[in-house]
Amino acid sequence: EHCMRAIRKGATKGPHGLPLMGGGDWNDGMNRVGIGGRGESVWLAWFLYAVFEEFRPFCGIMSEPDHADDLEKRAVELREAIEEHAWDGGWYLRAFYDSGNPMGSRKSRACEIDSIAQSWSVLSGAGREDRARQAMEAIQERLVNEEDHLMLLFTPPFDRKTAADPGYIKAYPPGIRENGGQYTHAAIWTAWACSKLGQGRRAEALFRLLNPIYHADTPEKVAIYRVEPYVLAADIYSRAPYVGRGGWTWYTGSGAWFYRLGLEAILGLRREGEKLLIDPCIPDNWPGYVMHYHFGGALYRISINNDSGEGRGVSEIRLDNEVQGDHAIRLRDDAHEHQVQVILGGTAKAAGQPEEGAESGTRRS
């Protein structure tokens, strides 16, 4: 009941049928976008859709089919409202101000494109596929700065010349923290969305771009980054004279997401109860890799074979040489050693066709 009340509160609709933004959504620095009670959040719409879809099964467990039907109906309405009102022609809007003016539009002087409105079109599963892919390409073109190893939250930043008043985010200097810098939490979502689209080579490249080790692997980079290279920084600055300087470090929220990005989204290892699911999305030019997984006293030696060159799509999993029917293995704490073979190549792909979003170069795990 507590969860249902929270969902209903978060799903309060505005003029475009999107959830009200109130005093901020994920980005609490945008605390005045909807403070008047009419501003709406496009990101929150994606997030709510995901909540609706993931919470519906619990309504069934609780024998409340009316709640489940209501969430299903709300999800459909929300998806339709997003596609009708929030598509800007090349990517999705970030929000609507109380005035009705859009944020995250080609017409916006600041925050022309915001990453989380694009990545969550994929992560939520709600975005129209052609639009979601186009939106992710817009992130790559406009927000990924490979030269400076940065993935920006949005661009351009808000400054004193910006007439709009999104909230206290505007108090940060341009390019600092959420105001147009790299906010690592959101950047990880972008890489995860690439993985979900099957773009293994791009997801791994963004993982390396975010890895703090590569921000400090030469004396010159150390002098620029100036924070610890062995933990994640919440933010990295993007404007001169501080381009590439790390901000608040030991950021556990980003640390947890980064760990999951590598282990779950790319290497494809995910546990549900006593079942281990294996569904990688790796660069198509990786030959494979090996993982050792301990379950109590048992050891599972997992070998992933990418001879197909597809980098994704599990065609077969064998546990101790027995084929597993559901592409997962049942874990047993039996103090024994088990061999797991995973064969990739279960996706339809023409021979010689390059991976979407691929880039040159060969890397091995």
Side-chain angles (χ1 to χ4, degrees), residues 182-195:
Q182 173 180 301
Y183 207 74
T184 308
H185 190 153
I188 292 167
W189 283 342
T190 295
W192 198 304
C194 290
S195 176

Side-chain angles (χ1 to χ4, degrees), residues 140 146 201-202 204-206 208 285 355 357-362:
Q140 189 69 26
E146 295 180 356
R201 202 183 294 197
R202 178 173 287 177
E204 191 268 347
L206 294 178
R208 280 186 283 117
N285 54 5
E355 176 189 322
E359 56 189 1
S360 60
T362 301

Side-chain angles (χ1 to χ4, degrees), residues 144-167:
V144 176
N145 181 340
E146 295 180 356
E147 181 179 354
D148 295 320
H149 292 272
L150 295 172
M151 196 186 315
L152 307 183
L153 178 59
F154 62 76
T155 195
F158 294 96
D159 57 27
R160 293 178 180 177
K161 298 178 181 178
T162 308
D165 180 17

Side-chain angles (χ1 to χ4, degrees), residues 91-107:
W91 55 83
Y92 289 99
L93 302 175
R94 175 62 176 85
F96 287 97
Y97 290 95
D98 284 322
S99 65
N101 292 331
M103 172 194 285
S105 166
R106 295 177 186 274
K107 301 175 183 178

Side-chain angles (χ1 to χ4, degrees), residues 26-29 150-154 157-158 168-184 186 233-239 242 245-249 251:
W26 174 84
N27 194 332
D28 51 2
L150 295 172
M151 196 186 315
L152 307 183
L153 178 59
F154 62 76
F158 294 96
Y168 78 77
I169 190 173
K170 197 174 176 180
Y172 291 128
I176 304 299
R177 291 186 59 78
E178 291 101 323
N179 191 13
Q182 173 180 301
Y183 207 74
T184 308
D235 55 299
I236 303 177
Y237 307 157
S238 66
R239 286 291 183 96
Y242 305 114
R245 179 177 295 187
W248 177 16
T249 56
Y251 198 54

Side-chain angles (χ1 to χ4, degrees), residues 149 201 203-212 214-215 258 359 363:
H149 292 272
R201 202 183 294 197
E204 191 268 347
L206 294 178
F207 183 91
R208 280 186 283 117
L209 182 145
L210 294 168
N211 191 333
Y214 296 118
H215 287 273
F258 190 65
E359 56 189 1
R363 298 184 62 82

